[in-house]
């Protein structure tokens, strides 16, 4: 009887040891997986540091204030499951430090126009206060690369261009149409450009070439518009 009890005790001890061994194996597997994940994270961080070192070389003499203005532009994950995204830095000369943008439209039709600026009098946006509704001109607060776009509506053949300090950049035309009946046909024209503008230069849209031109628009129908935005400095 004593021998049977000892045998059961021994079997119980063996089972307990077996369970502990299995538990230890599971712990080892979890630790290995955790180590692999940590290795992947370290690898990702090392690659990001290389990117940061490479981009920092393109920003000479950058002070603390300058580097604090640098923002990341990509959130592409390097490794599946990694919580650390790859951040690519832009040079200060390739991003807009200042927020400058405007968008306008003409609230009423202008007739009998000849070689004169279109004064878009309704302002939808004027970030940076560069646009003047009284003159129709946008004066660049800073030197940089800007995008400008304009559109216009007319019942006559009308030529409109965008100029910088009086120098033509791009042109647009709306051609007259003949339709039957009392209804007068309308046509729209416009253009878009990306150009460098120096601080203090004036950008505006003007009628030219054809005398007695007409620009149609209203508060109900914003047919004629002029917009611009600073892309980078």
């Amino acid at each position: 009887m004593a021998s049977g009890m000892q045998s059961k005790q021994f079997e119980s001890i063996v089972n307990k040891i077996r369970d502990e061994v299995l538990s230890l194996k599971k712990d080892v597997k979890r630790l290995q997986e955790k180590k692999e994940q940590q290795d992947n994270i370290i690898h990702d961080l090392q690659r990001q540091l290389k990117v940061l070192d490479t981009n920092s070389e393109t920003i000479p003499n950058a002070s603390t204030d300058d580097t604090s203005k640098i923002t990341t532009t990509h959130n592409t994950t390097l490794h599946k499951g990694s919580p650390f995204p790859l951040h690519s830095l832009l040079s200060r000369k390739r991003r807009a430090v200042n927020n400058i943008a405007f968008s306008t439209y003409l609230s009423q039709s202008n007739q009998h126009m000849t070689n004169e600026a279109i004064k878009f009098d309704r302002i939808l946006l004027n970030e940076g206060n560069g646009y003047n509704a009284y003159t129709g001109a946008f004066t660049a607060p800073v030197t940089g690369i800007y995008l400008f776009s304009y559109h216009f509506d007319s019942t006559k053949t009308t030529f409109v261009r965008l100029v910088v300090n009086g120098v033509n950049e791009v042109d647009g035309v709306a051609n007259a149409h003949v339709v039957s009946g009392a209804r007068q046909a309308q046509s729209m024209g416009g253009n878009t450009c990306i150009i460098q503008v120096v601080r203090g230069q004036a950008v505006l849209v003007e009628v030219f070439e054809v005398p007695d031109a007409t620009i149609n628009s209203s508060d109900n129908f914003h047919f004629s518009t002029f917009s611009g935005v600073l892309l980078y400095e």
Side-chain angles (χ1 to χ4, degrees), residues 78-129:
L78 277 173
H79 189 277
K80 185 177 180 180
S82 171
F84 295 94
L86 172 63
H87 297 296
S88 177
L89 294 180
L90 290 176
S91 168
R92 286 181 293 115
K93 293 185 178 180
R94 291 298 177 190
R95 63 180 298 273
V97 176
N98 297 283
N99 295 324
I100 299 172
F102 72 96
S103 185
T104 65
Y105 72 90
L106 191 64
S107 67
Q108 59 184 354
S109 297
N110 290 346
Q111 299 178 347
H112 311 298
M113 299 185 69
T114 302
N115 297 327
E116 57 184 290
I118 304 173
K119 300 175 183 178
F120 299 88
D121 56 326
R122 292 289 191 264
I123 296 176
L124 300 173
L125 175 70
N126 196 13
E127 189 79 18
N129 297 317

Side-chain angles (χ1 to χ4, degrees), residues 59-201:
I59 309 175
N61 301 322
S63 65
T64 303
D65 292 336
D66 290 332
T67 55
S68 66
K69 296 178 182 178
I70 299 172
T71 59
T72 57
T73 58
H74 296 288
N75 288 320
T76 305
T77 303
L78 277 173
H79 189 277
K80 185 177 180 180
S82 171
F84 295 94
L86 172 63
H87 297 296
S88 177
L89 294 180
L90 290 176
S91 168
R92 286 181 293 115
K93 293 185 178 180
R94 291 298 177 190
R95 63 180 298 273
V97 176
N98 297 283
N99 295 324
I100 299 172
F102 72 96
S103 185
T104 65
Y105 72 90
L106 191 64
S107 67
Q108 59 184 354
S109 297
N110 290 346
Q111 299 178 347
H112 311 298
M113 299 185 69
T114 302
N115 297 327
E116 57 184 290
I118 304 173
K119 300 175 183 178
F120 299 88
D121 56 326
R122 292 289 191 264
I123 296 176
L124 300 173
L125 175 70
N126 196 13
E127 189 79 18
N129 297 317
Y131 180 77
N132 187 325
Y134 296 101
T135 63
F138 168 78
T139 303
V142 298
T143 299
I145 304 301
Y146 291 81
L147 182 148
F148 296 101
S149 179
Y150 70 92
H151 296 86
F152 63 98
D153 179 273
S154 183
T155 53
K156 297 181 178 181
T157 297
T158 301
F159 289 86
V160 174
R161 62 187 177 188
L162 183 142
V163 300
V164 179
N165 273 19
V167 179
N168 180 33
E169 296 293 341
V170 290
D171 308 278
V173 61
N175 289 314
H177 293 275
V178 178
V179 295
S180 60
R183 185 173 180 273
Q184 195 172 21
Q186 294 175 294
S187 179
M188 295 191 71
N191 217 324
T192 301
C193 64
I194 299 175
I195 55 176
Q196 183 181 46
V197 182
V198 177
R199 178 182 179 182
Q201 287 186 325

Side-chain angles (χ1 to χ4, degrees), residues 19-34:
D19 292 338
E20 290 179 353
V21 169
L22 291 175
S23 178
L24 287 173
K25 286 183 177 180
K26 291 180 180 179
D27 290 339
V28 170
K29 186 177 180 180
R30 282 196 296 268
L31 289 173
Q32 288 176 338
E33 292 175 348
K34 188 173 182 180

